[in-house]
Amino acid sequence: MSAKKTALAVLSAALLVPSLLTVPAHASPPAPPADGKGQPHRAPAAPPESMSTVGGALLGKPGVQVSPLAGAPALPATLTGRSWIVADARTGEVLAANNAHWRLPPASTMKMLFADTLLPKLPKDQVHRVTSEELSEVGSGSSLVGVKEDLEYSVHDLWLGVFLRSGNDAVHVLSAMNGGIEKTVRDMQAHAEELQALDTHVVSPDGYDAAGQVSSAYDLTLIARSGLQKADFREYCGTASAKFPGLQYGGTREYFEIQNTNRLMTGASGLSPYKGIAGVKNGNTTMAGSTFTGTAQRGDRQLIVTVMNPSGGLNSVYQETADLLDWGFAAAGRVKPVGELVPPKSADTSSFGSPAQTHDREAAPAAAGAGEGGGRGAALAVAAGALAVVAAGSYAFNRRFPAGRRRRPEEELLP
């Protein structure tokens, strides 16, 4: 080969090297393993530049958003959650947030949307005999309450299994009673969009790791607020322990005790029960890490806090939630709201912001004239009033969250 040809060959090979080493800019991330329990996965280190502005312009910005007034306490210094939000359950005011609209895997906090969607559809005294087909697609490694085929369970029993033990087996049976997994996913997605939880994309009703399944701290808080308007939802998420049907021998049915996996309620694993806690739902998977939405009341004030994917151990999500609840109660009246929890579409069709540009649906018109505090102060009152109309004339929080079947005294909450 001549020297000229040799030089050309070397140059051509050199030009090809960058294309061989470069990953396509828009390559899709690998799908999670089928069992949802594979190698640890974390979202990108930084939130996207474009996030939803539903609820106010500040909520679409990355990083911590808080607007302190005179005498306001400082936010906890040890927060590691990739996304979190503190909101007033009554008024819908968002007191502070961090990456509120970052779309992250939700784990079993997705069950709040499942419950808010299906609770009105299934009478709690309805009894159902479970089939093997209904349990056949429960994911490997799932949290289970212990539902068995060929045995009967009431809808009430199954909801206790969902809320207390985060039982994916109970979720699959209730989904079957609703017409199947696919229909239930469609129903949940439609309900999320009705609530204006536009960061949420539902793939599995139980929150099991699945490619593309995401929500946000904002959406989970919005969903929790909707659920807490329902008496049954409040009862189930506020129950610390209950008896669950076991095996049946002849005409005798065994029962075993189940405890809520919400550690701020039970005081498990070295944590103390949080004063005034009334739910809502926790979760933990490989892709999501730890997630938690909690609600608590002190006096006439109810707060909802959501924390997603803190960097510490399993207790971190509860400790950071408790710290944010403490801050929220201390900060009430001493911070300017940075946004709001919007009412459902059917309650108010005015624009409350836009979904992120990366959403897989058409973006709604952006909110006009949103100010530093997340938008219109008058709209906060409108949002609360509209929610009251949706809840058949009563927002249902009244002076305090109903206690449901929560157990007192404190020692009865301990495992």
Side-chain angles (χ1 to χ4, degrees):
M1 181 182 294
S2 68
K4 183 176 181 181
K5 288 183 178 180
T6 301
L8 288 173
V10 171
L11 177 61
S12 298
L15 292 172
L16 283 173
V17 168
S19 63
L20 293 173
L21 297 178
T22 301
V23 177
H26 302 289
S28 299
D35 64 359
K37 299 289 180 180
Q39 294 298 315
H41 169 84
R42 289 179 68 85
E49 293 183 3
S50 173
M51 290 188 289
S52 170
T53 59
V54 171
L58 284 178
L59 298 182
K61 295 183 177 181
V64 173
Q65 306 300 323
V66 63
S67 183
L69 302 174
L75 282 164
T78 56
L79 299 175
T80 66
R82 314 194 91 196
S83 175
W84 52 259
I85 192 169
V86 183
D88 188 297
R90 290 182 184 272
T91 67
E93 294 175 341
V94 177
L95 305 184
N98 177 47
N99 303 321
H101 282 289
W102 194 355
R103 304 177 83 196
L104 298 168
S108 285
T109 51
M110 183 66 82
K111 290 182 172 77
M112 294 189 298
L113 178 61
F114 173 74
D116 197 39
T117 303
L118 263 64
L119 269 170
K121 299 184 176 190
L122 301 172
K124 63 193 303 182
D125 58 353
Q126 181 179 345
V127 175
H128 177 76
R129 182 175 290 274
V130 175
T131 68
S132 58
E133 289 78 11
E134 293 166 353
L135 300 176
S136 62
E137 295 184 4
V138 175
S140 173
S142 286
S143 52
L144 305 172
V145 66
V147 175
K148 303 297 183 185
E149 62 184 81
D150 296 326
L151 292 178
E152 292 185 341
Y153 299 85
S154 69
V155 168
H156 176 77
D157 292 331
L158 294 170
W159 281 122
L160 287 172
V162 170
F163 277 94
L164 273 67
R165 299 305 303 170
S166 204
N168 289 4
D169 46 358
V171 170
H172 278 247
V173 173
L174 289 165
S175 296
M177 296 174 68
N178 184 56
I181 295 293
E182 292 185 4
K183 179 181 182 299
T184 298
V185 167
R186 290 195 303 270
D187 290 349
M188 290 170 65
Q189 191 66 57
H191 188 52
E193 296 188 10
E194 158 62 15
L195 294 178
Q196 302 204 66
L198 303 180
D199 298 322
T200 299
H201 182 238
V202 185
V203 178
S204 66
D206 49 23
Y208 195 75
D209 281 344
Q213 179 150 272
V214 291
S215 190
S216 67
Y218 181 88
D219 279 15
L220 293 174
T221 305
L222 199 67
I223 292 163
R225 189 188 188 207
S226 176
L228 289 165
Q229 295 176 58
K230 299 174 175 62
D232 286 346
F233 189 105
R234 294 196 304 274
E235 175 195 345
Y236 295 131
C237 78
T239 299
S241 62
K243 297 293 185 182
F244 192 81
L247 298 178
Q248 185 163 345
Y249 300 96
T252 303
R253 189 74 179 266
E254 290 186 340
Y255 287 81
F256 58 92
E257 184 156 328
I258 56 175
Q259 281 201 324
N260 202 314
T261 54
N262 175 354
R263 296 182 185 181
L264 288 188
M265 179 171 292
T266 63
S269 300
L271 293 175
S272 297
Y274 188 83
K275 180 182 177 182
I277 194 73
V280 175
K281 190 71 189 74
N282 57 314
N284 184 276
T285 65
T286 298
M287 292 182 66
S290 296
T291 59
F292 182 59
T293 297
T295 186
Q297 176 171 340
R298 291 185 186 174
D300 291 336
R301 188 172 299 278
Q302 299 91 25
L303 298 179
I304 305 175
V305 168
T306 296
V307 176
M308 302 185 77
N309 202 346
S311 61
L314 289 178
N315 277 345
S316 294
V317 74
Y318 302 103
Q319 292 166 338
E320 295 188 18
T321 298
D323 289 344
L324 285 169
L325 284 168
D326 286 344
W327 175 87
F329 287 121
R334 298 186 174 121
V335 294
K336 182 180 179 181
V338 295
E340 60 185 313
L341 300 178
V342 298
K345 287 181 180 178
S346 59
D348 192 326
T349 57
S350 61
S351 173
F352 285 86
S354 63
Q357 296 175 5
T358 54
H359 285 196
D360 52 4
R361 56 179 65 87
E362 291 185 3
E372 180 181 356
R376 308 151 300 276
L380 295 170
V382 172
L387 277 168
V389 173
V390 173
S394 172
Y395 186 66
F397 279 109
N398 299 318
R399 301 291 292 179
R400 63 179 62 247
F401 288 112
R405 294 173 60 192
R406 256 177 292 130
R407 301 299 179 88
R408 299 289 186 224
E410 180 174 308
E411 59 267 19
E412 292 183 13
L413 299 177
L414 300 175

